[in-house]
Amino acid sequence: MEQASGDDPAEPGRSRPSEGGRRARRVTSIDVARRAGVSASAVSRAFTEGAYISRELKARVMAAARELDYEPNPLARGLITRRSGMVALLMDELSNPFYPEALQAFGSELHRRGKRVMLFAPAPGEPLEDVLPQALRYSVDGIVVASAHVTSALAEAARKAAAPVVLFNRMLEHGGLSAVTCDNHAAAELVARLLAEAGHRRPAFVAGLETASTSIHRERGFAAGLHQAGLGAPRRVSGGYTYQGGYAAALELCRGGETPDAIFVANDIMALGVVDALRRELGLDVPGDVSVVGFDDIPAASWPSYDLTTMRQPLRAMVSETVQLLEDQLESAYPKATTVTLPGRLIRRGSARLPPA
Amino acid sequence: MEQASGDDPAEPGRSRPSEGGRRARRVTSIDVARRAGVSASAVSRAFTEGAYISRELKARVMAAARELDYEPNPLARGLITRRSGMVALLMDELSNPFYPEALQAFGSELHRRGKRVMLFAPAPGEPLEDVLPQALRYSVDGIVVASAHVTSALAEAARKAAAPVVLFNRMLEHGGLSAVTCDNHAAAELVARLLAEAGHRRPAFVAGLETASTSIHRERGFAAGLHQAGLGAPRRVSGGYTYQGGYAAALELCRGGETPDAIFVANDIMALGVVDALRRELGLDVPGDVSVVGFDDIPAASWPSYDLTTMRQPLRAMVSETVQLLEDQLESAYPKATTVTLPGRLIRRGSARLPPA
DNA sequence: CTGAAAGCGCTAACAG
DNA sequence: CTGTTAGCGCTTTCAG
């Protein structure tokens, strides 16, 4: 009698007393099948997009499923389909507010598409390509890499594993990886022209991580824009993409020679450090003595204490493009690397003297 | 010879030409077993902590595994053990820098223990208890809830599912859930006493979310401390735990009556808004006209523009306690709810006049 | 269009 | 201590 067929697994109080009380038995596709009077395959088909199943049967299955509060187990499904419904996110700069924002955006975007986020936040030292196999073990549907430390080793590992990888907010010249970035060159070029037009003559650049494509492209674009305006190459210092680095960079820039009258900083978090160093430690006026322009438009950029003029990255668009690229790669058998470049938008605030819009 | 036994699956160039080139065949426990000349169970045992297996056999298996670059598939393993090695993290306040920091910390702590983070960042509207079943479908080893929106509905759902849940940086009075928090009451009490001792007579409190335990306890502790010092209840305004909310709260506090001479703010991100409103919009001096004390010690608190005196939460300790509680719950068949409370530490900076330490 | 049977990769009894 | 046998929950040929 204990084994009477057709017993409802959702029914309470039927668990074996010896079970320990933990981990209620899960409702499976077989439970649903029994209830709907069909086979397990039918249940599977009902839950598979575009599977051959009659309208009527599907409805019956779905009804039973609803009653039992059933949904397919993604792990079991993933074992055979090799897709777990999870997307791995590699991020190692959570201390830059741009990334938590991106994380949030990825969360909702993926959730909308029925997927989940598996986060990999490797410690500073750990090589990214070590993370890749770990992610793959979980049969993730794809991998988004948002770390400044992408190397060709990673690209190579991705290629060998034939894993769908998309770089977010960075790119790799010859790695053969898809990527989504802002048009860093054009954006930086515009900043340079505007700064020059406003009469600045001693521009400087604060770089981020020397190997980061974002920093490199922003620097090149900035130099190109200055050149067009008839100005020479800017002085440059590196700030490692951190607040402290920006702070130190500003000091070095001002103490190590002629004080610049404009500083273009490769990202906002560093720019905040630059502004603080300029004002609090050097007693300079921003933008009176020196104009500061950042990149990203993180929330703090709009705070009155900073009121930072900055190049906004189209975050939501970048995120949804990234996810789309991932899906495209999953569809195609031999996907080719695609790079999507989205325009930035200048947000004029009070930290820089700029010509009227 | 194409089918010679013992062929190495990791060997390149052997994939069937018709395969499409995607998704290289994975190396399984059977591959390792064959190579080591043992059974699949032996491989399983070799990779299972404390399983009955001889030293010698284990060594042999591990050697073969290493050569093949094998590690067990956590999804397949999870199907039977009901543990996937993933821990779900529910966080919906990523815009408060305290949480990205916590996220990072959870990432390393869990990584250290061989687990992965599955992030759930529900949109503002979405009820938390809806997220629970989603997480459980993935056979997560546990769930860390770091959302201010914990309700008894969540607790109830967790109880019914018998899921290991630990609340991080919040608690629920009668929910029966384990939790890790800072000693909010004691910390706030200390702030009150110190502020009073320094001569402040018109204290105010900026609350976070009205339903958040952190905000409630900090408010109670603050009131208690003021009472001990012979002061009345503080004026209070709510700031919703956001920068903008803190900004608005400060304005309300100062325009809606007598300007306070000290403001204790339930968290740092709001405190930054308070400081900005005070200085930039009201032209007040901090701490000359009004002292401001925050809570958390987020990175921005130490920036020269704010130099915020604040109560630091012992983040790393809180995180590791949380993970430990989760593990304890997994071990025990009938775990009982445990609350761990860690002391905060006052970080004296320049935003408040306080008696010397 | 539907069901039966096989199997994804692994672990957990169960014998030996 | 080790191998053999089932089976986690699902999808997928393969017949019908």
Side-chain angles (χ1 to χ4, degrees):
Chain A
M1 22 41 169
E2 187 73 17
Q3 284 300 340
S5 89
D7 57 358
D8 187 335
E11 191 167 27
R14 301 225 41 182
S15 55
R16 273 166 278 126
S18 62
E19 217 184 25
R22 301 287 294 165
R23 298 302 193 163
R25 180 183 172 323
R26 289 187 276 206
V27 14
T28 77
S29 71
I30 296 194
D31 298 321
V32 177
R34 255 205 296 262
R35 181 161 192 121
V38 298
S39 73
S41 337
V43 177
S44 170
R45 292 191 182 104
F47 278 92
T48 304
E49 203 69 26
Y52 284 171
I53 186 173
S54 69
R55 208 167 242 325
E56 181 200 17
L57 219 193
K58 178 163 183 173
R60 201 139 51 95
V61 169
M62 287 316 219
R66 204 158 313 122
E67 291 170 49
L68 261 37
D69 194 30
Y70 167 85
E71 273 197 47
N73 180 327
L75 266 35
R77 170 184 269 180
L79 204 50
I80 181 112
T81 62
R82 316 202 125 195
R83 304 215 185 155
S84 61
M86 303 188 289
V87 169
L89 240 62
L90 306 205
M91 277 194 185
D92 56 3
E93 285 172 278
L94 256 0
S95 55
N96 174 356
F98 179 74
Y99 289 103
E101 268 194 280
L103 193 49
Q104 184 97 267
F106 273 111
S108 13
E109 179 68 28
L110 289 170
H111 192 98
R112 190 204 331 281
R113 306 195 187 209
K115 297 188 189 300
R116 306 278 164 260
V117 171
M118 190 155 184
L119 181 69
F120 290 83
E126 198 180 352
L128 283 192
E129 54 275 24
D130 288 4
V131 161
L132 216 95
Q134 297 176 29
L136 291 176
R137 252 187 262 299
Y138 280 89
S139 302
V140 293
D141 296 6
I143 304 177
V144 173
V145 179
S147 161
H149 302 95
V150 264
T151 60
S152 43
L154 177 80
E156 181 55 22
R159 198 193 52 68
K160 265 174 57 180
V165 170
V166 178
L167 303 182
F168 174 80
N169 195 32
R170 56 239 330 125
M171 44 179 297
L172 195 60
E173 285 304 336
H174 304 292
L177 294 179
S178 288
V180 175
T181 68
C182 174
D183 189 341
N184 292 304
H185 190 99
E189 203 173 47
L190 175 65
V191 169
R193 283 203 305 264
L194 259 23
L195 249 15
E197 199 179 321
H200 297 90
R201 286 298 168 265
R202 298 184 309 280
F205 178 73
V206 175
L209 289 163
E210 297 293 353
T211 56
S213 67
T214 45
S215 183
I216 294 170
H217 293 162
R218 288 166 198 173
E219 179 160 13
R220 280 196 203 136
F222 189 58
L226 293 178
H227 184 76
Q228 290 160 31
L231 293 176
R235 289 182 54 206
R236 57 111 55 206
V237 182
S238 197
Y241 273 151
T242 66
Y243 174 92
Q244 282 75 15
Y247 195 96
L251 297 184
E252 188 178 338
L253 231 29
C254 295
R255 286 177 173 159
E258 202 180 19
T259 295
D261 59 1
I263 306 181
F264 176 45
V265 192
N267 77 357
D268 278 358
I269 190 74
M270 287 196 298
L272 302 182
V274 167
V275 168
D276 276 343
L278 256 24
R279 286 189 183 142
R280 315 287 158 187
E281 184 137 356
L282 299 167
L284 293 169
D285 185 70
V286 175
D289 297 316
V290 29
S291 286
V292 176
V293 178
F295 214 110
D296 285 345
D297 195 26
I298 61 176
S302 69
W303 297 350
S305 282
Y306 296 103
D307 197 32
L308 188 71
T309 292
T310 187
M311 189 57 75
R312 175 184 296 167
Q313 300 216 61
L315 183 58
R316 311 289 312 195
M318 284 169 67
V319 165
S320 71
E321 287 290 348
T322 303
V323 174
Q324 190 54 53
L325 243 41
L326 228 38
E327 302 237 303
D328 294 350
Q329 249 179 86
L330 274 171
E331 303 310 311
S332 154
Y334 285 104
K336 55 181 182 307
T338 312
T339 297
V340 174
T341 308
L342 269 25
R345 180 150 83 88
L346 183 68
I347 304 297
R348 291 161 180 270
R349 297 207 183 88
S351 68
R353 287 175 291 113
L354 254 33
Chain B
M1 36 25 163
E2 186 73 15
Q3 283 301 341
S5 88
D7 57 357
D8 186 338
E11 191 167 30
R14 300 223 42 183
S15 53
R16 272 168 277 126
S18 62
E19 216 185 27
R22 299 289 291 164
R23 299 300 194 165
R25 177 184 173 320
R26 287 189 277 206
V27 14
T28 77
S29 71
I30 296 193
D31 299 322
V32 178
R34 255 205 297 262
R35 182 163 190 119
V38 298
S39 73
S41 343
V43 177
S44 171
R45 291 190 182 104
F47 278 92
T48 304
E49 203 70 23
Y52 283 172
I53 186 174
S54 68
R55 209 166 241 323
E56 178 199 19
L57 219 192
K58 178 164 182 174
R60 201 139 51 97
V61 169
M62 288 314 222
R66 203 159 314 121
E67 290 171 48
L68 261 36
D69 195 28
Y70 165 86
E71 271 197 47
N73 180 327
L75 267 35
R77 168 185 271 180
L79 206 49
I80 180 112
T81 61
R82 317 202 126 194
R83 305 219 185 151
S84 61
M86 302 188 290
V87 169
L89 240 61
L90 307 205
M91 276 193 184
D92 56 4
E93 287 173 278
L94 256 0
S95 54
N96 174 356
F98 179 74
Y99 290 102
E101 267 193 283
L103 193 50
Q104 184 97 268
F106 273 111
S108 8
E109 179 68 28
L110 289 170
H111 192 97
R112 189 205 329 281
R113 306 195 186 210
K115 297 189 188 299
R116 305 278 162 260
V117 171
M118 189 157 186
L119 181 70
F120 291 83
E126 198 180 351
L128 283 193
E129 54 275 23
D130 288 5
V131 161
L132 216 96
Q134 296 176 28
L136 291 176
R137 251 189 264 298
Y138 281 89
S139 302
V140 293
D141 296 5
I143 303 178
V144 173
V145 179
S147 161
H149 302 97
V150 261
T151 61
S152 44
L154 176 80
E156 181 54 22
R159 199 193 53 68
K160 266 174 58 182
V165 170
V166 178
L167 304 181
F168 174 81
N169 195 32
R170 57 239 329 125
M171 42 178 299
L172 195 59
E173 285 302 337
H174 304 291
L177 294 180
S178 288
V180 175
T181 68
C182 176
D183 189 341
N184 293 304
H185 190 99
E189 204 174 45
L190 175 64
V191 170
R193 283 203 306 263
L194 260 22
L195 250 14
E197 198 178 322
H200 298 89
R201 287 298 170 261
R202 298 185 309 279
F205 178 73
V206 175
L209 289 164
E210 296 294 354
T211 56
S213 67
T214 45
S215 183
I216 294 170
H217 293 162
R218 287 166 198 173
E219 180 162 14
R220 280 195 205 137
F222 189 57
L226 293 177
H227 184 75
Q228 288 160 32
L231 293 175
R235 290 183 54 207
R236 57 112 54 206
V237 182
S238 197
Y241 273 152
T242 66
Y243 174 91
Q244 281 77 14
Y247 196 95
L251 297 184
E252 189 180 337
L253 231 29
C254 295
R255 286 177 175 159
E258 203 181 19
T259 295
D261 59 0
I263 306 181
F264 176 45
V265 192
N267 77 358
D268 278 358
I269 189 77
M270 288 196 298
L272 302 182
V274 166
V275 168
D276 276 342
L278 255 26
R279 288 191 182 139
R280 315 287 158 188
E281 185 139 354
L282 299 167
L284 293 169
D285 185 68
V286 175
D289 297 315
V290 30
S291 285
V292 176
V293 178
F295 213 112
D296 285 348
D297 196 26
I298 61 176
S302 69
W303 297 352
S305 282
Y306 296 103
D307 199 30
L308 188 70
T309 292
T310 188
M311 189 58 74
R312 174 183 296 168
Q313 300 216 61
L315 183 57
R316 311 291 310 194
M318 286 169 66
V319 165
S320 70
E321 287 289 347
T322 303
V323 174
Q324 190 55 54
L325 244 40
L326 228 39
E327 302 237 302
D328 295 350
Q329 248 178 90
L330 273 171
E331 302 310 311
S332 152
Y334 286 104
K336 55 182 182 306
T338 312
T339 297
V340 173
T341 308
L342 270 24
R345 181 149 83 88
L346 183 68
I347 304 298
R348 292 160 179 270
R349 296 205 183 91
S351 69
R353 287 176 290 113
L354 253 33

